Amino acid sequence: MASGSASARAPQVQDENPSCNDVASFKAADIVVQLCENRKPKPESENLPFGTVFTDHMLLIEWSREGGWEKPRIQPFGNLSLHPACAALHYGVQLFEGMKAYRGQDDRVRLFRPMLNMKRMLKSAHRACLPSFDAAELLECIRKLVEVDQDWVPHSESASLYIRPAFLGTESKLGVMVSSHALLFVVLSPVGFYFSTGNNSVSLWADSKYIRAWKGGTGDCKMGGNYGASIVAQCEAMKFGCQQVLWLYGDDHQITEVGTMNLFLYWINEEGEEELATPPLDGIILPGITRQSILELARKWGEFKVSERYLTMAELRLAVEQKRVREMFGSGTACVVSRVGRVLYQGENLQIPCGDESNSLVSRLLKELTDIQYGRTESDWTFLV
Ligand SMILES: *Cc1c(COP(=O)(O)O)cnc(C)c1O
């Protein structure tokens, strides 16, 4: 019978990982709000170091295998209390997200394509064997949290409110197992804008000594372990006088990502075509929402070839030599786009052109994306809080 093997397999998968499967989601309508008595003073938003100041409230949602999801709570910002055997602390049963709320000149607060963050978070949760939830319900809970702390969204088009959801396995036994308890929480932090124009291009250390992600691993999920393990490489890059790591993969030294950003190369390719290229989502690349948005914008413009393709260091070195590279940049929520000015590879400095300041692709992308984020351009990519 055709259905035999399929139906024999499905229950087996469920048994292995009971908490991944359809559980009734928490509901935003059930939120319990407890407001703090004293609001903290707001800092000057322009020169805030990233992620150092937090708002007055946070969102917490607990789950257990026996009880399912509890009611979401918005409560005063404060420390968590965790059992010392907590799975997140020992085995990295953990994941996070990163998104921002932007206040436009019209004083309205917007999120940028937030459902994509919710869906990516669900994918990471599945990889960590943490329970599922309804993406739209979580987005509504986050919207409500931002609304409660809306005075913290900077009144500036060069700053924003960073939104950090995190999800922890809180199993309080030392065995490596699917967590029977979990905690999803969201904190908010006002941040200044990282301008990627002018001379502040980044220098990169390209070396195959450390590998960020590998096939079958977790590089395509925002799981904490990927980042904790990358710090040593970042330190080594700085010893070599570089600011960030250019992550390579495989014997052919494929270019994958830069620091915690996706990577784009705007060049004349081997065929002589003008091309904007970024590595394909083959499991070792984090599926960035800025990456996706840049690809969609550039494809809509239709002015040059836009490719998701492999790029190697040999190809980059040759292109730099033959002056075929126009611009190279990283992309991510924190900075939108960030120019690469130099790559140190096998003892050689590859100088990357930065394009004409006003006419560059980086400047154009930065403008188009921030125009949408701050509501200067109408777009169905924005979500009003
Ligand atoms: C978060 C992240 C990105 C960028 O993703 P966005 O959704 O654009 O912010 C790229 N690479 C890595 C490794 C990341 O963690």
Side-chain angles (χ1 to χ4, degrees), residues 37-236:
E37 305 205 332
N38 300 307
R39 304 268 171 142
K40 294 179 271 196
K42 315 277 183 299
E44 289 287 331
S45 62
E46 304 294 325
N47 294 312
L48 275 177
F50 178 78
T52 51
V53 173
F54 294 91
T55 66
D56 293 313
H57 299 90
M58 61 186 189
L59 170 74
L60 296 169
I61 320 176
E62 290 182 77
W63 175 87
S64 70
R65 192 174 293 150
E66 318 83 67
W69 284 105
E70 290 181 19
K71 288 182 178 170
R73 306 192 315 266
I74 289 175
Q75 63 182 53
F77 183 91
N79 291 345
L80 302 175
S81 175
L82 297 172
H83 190 283
C86 174
L89 300 178
H90 293 264
Y91 309 122
V93 182
Q94 189 273 357
L95 59 98
F96 64 97
E97 265 304 323
M99 54 208 278
K100 282 175 168 179
Y102 310 84
R103 187 189 298 276
Q105 246 162 18
D106 57 2
D107 211 30
R108 306 192 76 170
V109 174
R110 294 170 176 83
L111 306 182
F112 181 72
R113 310 188 82 179
M115 269 309 269
L116 296 179
N117 293 89
M118 300 297 100
K119 288 185 178 149
R120 189 168 69 188
M121 188 165 176
L122 266 174
K123 196 183 102 177
S124 302
H126 194 258
R127 184 68 173 80
C129 293
L130 288 173
S132 198
F133 52 85
D134 184 323
E137 295 293 338
L138 179 57
L139 177 54
E140 176 55 19
C141 292
I142 291 175
R143 192 201 63 74
K144 181 80 189 156
L145 176 67
V146 174
E147 187 176 64
V148 166
D149 275 343
Q150 59 180 299
D151 292 347
W152 285 87
V153 184
H155 290 259
S156 160
E157 291 188 27
S158 58
S160 54
L161 184 69
Y162 187 77
I163 302 171
R164 168 53 62 89
F167 199 4
L168 314 181
T170 50
E171 180 66 57
S172 55
K173 298 190 197 100
L174 286 176
V176 177
M177 65 183 87
V178 176
S179 284
S180 64
H181 288 75
L183 171 66
L184 194 166
F185 66 93
V186 183
V187 293
L188 308 174
S189 172
V191 292
F193 192 83
Y194 177 102
F195 282 104
S196 57
T197 52
N199 289 325
N200 51 9
S201 61
V202 293
S203 50
L204 306 181
W205 180 62
D207 196 290
S208 56
K209 179 171 174 185
Y210 300 104
I211 311 294
R212 192 194 84 87
W214 45 90
K215 299 282 167 66
T218 57
D220 57 349
C221 294
K222 265 187 155 26
M223 295 173 72
N226 296 341
Y227 304 85
S230 76
I231 298 169
V232 70
Q234 169 67 26
C235 290
E236 200 150 330

Side-chain angles (χ1 to χ4, degrees), residues 120 212 222 227 257 260-262 286 288-291 331-333:
R120 189 168 69 188
R212 192 194 84 87
K222 265 187 155 26
Y227 304 85
E257 297 205 55
T260 57
M261 293 181 283
N262 293 116
L286 194 289
I289 289 148
T290 319
R291 173 189 180 280
S331 76
T333 296

